[in-house]
Amino acid sequence: HYPLRRQRQMCIRDRFVGLTGGSFSVGTPYVARWFPRSKQGLAMGVFGAGNSGSAITKFVAPALIAAAGGAWVIVPQVYAVALLVTAILFWLFSASDPSHRVAGGASLSAQFAMLKDPRVWRYCQYYSVVFGGYVALALWMTKYYIGEYGFDMKLAALLAACFSLPGGVLRALGGWISDRYGAYKTTWWVMWVCWVAFFILSYPQTLSLIHI
């Protein structure tokens, strides 16, 4: 029965991890509603800069594992305590404005009806690149530096963190630019830069010879 019990524990843990990730999606509009439209981009950018924690993990997690004698389970345990403390602080000190609330209880058919709006699909694609691409690169870069350049694990992780940390903090700058020049224009410029950068990163090593 031990494997079955272990699977149940992992399922429960994964559900709480999912709730933690969902809190980011809830927190973004929560923060934005406290600011006028001219400053909502900056507000959401500052909130989104919390993703820089993915870079901090590259430094904190190894230190925790080393302090625990190589036991990796110390990482989720410590992070669980930190999340619990954060939830308690938010519960005690966050504010609420009744005018920010939206009508709930939307039916399932009404939710699916939103998929008829092409803007929903377009925004999903935007998010899959600007957030999904960020997470994918943060996880992929360590192996990339090791495989392509022969760096050791420590140096590769440091360089990957050098990408993740500014990538999270720059969300605040991106929000300010969106307020100043428009979210649509800013998003498209970011997309073009991403596509060019992704193409360069994905292009295989090639040797070209030109005979004259």
Side-chain angles (χ1 to χ4, degrees), residues 29-79:
Y30 168 81
V31 171
R33 289 190 178 98
W34 292 96
F35 294 86
R37 293 185 63 87
S38 60
K39 296 183 178 180
Q40 286 183 351
L42 177 60
M44 290 187 289
V46 172
F47 176 81
N51 281 337
S52 57
S54 62
I56 299 175
T57 299
K58 297 181 184 296
F59 301 102
V60 175
L64 291 174
I65 295 173
W72 67 268
V73 292
I74 189 65
V75 177
Q77 292 173 353
V78 172
Y79 275 45

Side-chain angles (χ1 to χ4, degrees), residues 184-204:
Y184 184 82
K185 184 183 296 185
T186 302
T187 301
W188 269 108
W189 272 106
V190 170
M191 287 292 178
W192 276 110
V193 173
C194 286
W195 286 332
V196 173
F198 288 164
F199 175 79
I200 295 174
L201 284 173
S202 64
Y203 199 79

Side-chain angles (χ1 to χ4, degrees), residues 87 89 97 101 107 109 123 128 151 155 168 174 182 201-203:
L89 291 175
D97 189 341
R101 299 175 182 175
S107 63
S109 59
Y123 294 151
S128 68
F151 295 154
L155 180 57
L201 284 173
S202 64
Y203 199 79

Side-chain angles (χ1 to χ4, degrees), residues 141-143 145-146 151-161:
M141 275 194 163
T142 300
K143 293 183 178 180
Y145 286 125
I146 294 174
F151 295 154
D152 59 19
M153 179 66 73
K154 293 181 179 179
L155 180 57
L158 175 62
L159 293 175

Side-chain angles (χ1 to χ4, degrees), residues 117-210:
D117 190 341
R119 292 178 300 178
V120 175
W121 293 95
R122 187 167 68 245
Y123 294 151
C124 288
Q125 294 302 314
Y126 290 167
Y127 197 73
S128 68
V129 174
V130 297
F131 184 73
Y134 169 78
V135 174
L137 285 173
L139 297 174
W140 168 77
M141 275 194 163
T142 300
K143 293 183 178 180
Y144 173 75
Y145 286 125
I146 294 174
E148 291 294 325
Y149 298 99
F151 295 154
D152 59 19
M153 179 66 73
K154 293 181 179 179
L155 180 57
L158 175 62
L159 293 175
C162 290
F163 161 79
S164 301
L165 186 58
V169 175
L170 285 175
R171 283 174 174 262
L173 177 61
W176 177 81
I177 295 175
S178 296
D179 291 333
R180 186 174 180 86
Y181 299 103
Y184 184 82
K185 184 183 296 185
T186 302
T187 301
W188 269 108
W189 272 106
V190 170
M191 287 292 178
W192 276 110
V193 173
C194 286
W195 286 332
V196 173
F198 288 164
F199 175 79
I200 295 174
L201 284 173
S202 64
Y203 199 79
Q205 295 186 9
T206 304
L207 179 62
S208 299
L209 297 176
I210 301 177

